[in-house]
Amino acid sequence: MIMNAELSRAGEGRIIIPTVYRNNYLAALKAASHNSNFDSLIATLSFAQRYTARIDFSSRASAEAALARTNALRDPNEADAAGIRLLMP
């Protein structure tokens, strides 16, 4: 919430990490904290920010349809096993 508050304050788009993208996000956080590799975290957050900006949140129905269409709500472990990825809307 703090990250999104700061992004909004700076006039930047908010970031939502879709469920299916959770493992990617956690791996990027781990790389940043254990190996000081912030490149993957920046790339992960940048993708998530672009993704979030393309979702139509004007109504719950449109948002839910877009999230379903892009695999956002899929279980991350099941999706990884099946080769299902988050799709850019």
Side-chain angles (χ1 to χ4, degrees):
M1 288 183 357
I2 292 173
M3 174 183 64
N4 279 323
E6 289 300 314
L7 288 168
S8 292
R9 189 173 66 87
E12 296 290 330
R14 294 179 181 188
I15 297 174
I16 294 173
I17 304 297
T19 303
V20 75
Y21 203 53
R22 181 179 182 271
N23 290 346
N24 301 69
Y25 174 65
L26 292 176
L29 282 175
K30 186 176 181 179
S33 62
H34 292 284
N35 304 321
S36 296
N37 176 1
F38 291 91
D39 293 341
S40 59
L41 181 59
I42 292 167
T44 299
L45 291 173
S46 178
F47 180 86
Q49 188 176 40
R50 288 190 317 273
Y51 172 86
T52 304
R54 291 184 176 189
I55 298 293
D56 177 10
F57 288 103
S58 63
S59 74
R60 183 177 179 142
S62 65
E64 286 178 350
L67 294 171
R69 190 172 49 253
T70 60
N71 302 318
L73 304 177
R74 303 287 300 258
D75 177 270
N77 297 320
E78 291 174 9
D80 282 345
I84 297 169
R85 300 286 177 248
L86 179 65
L87 303 173
M88 188 63 75

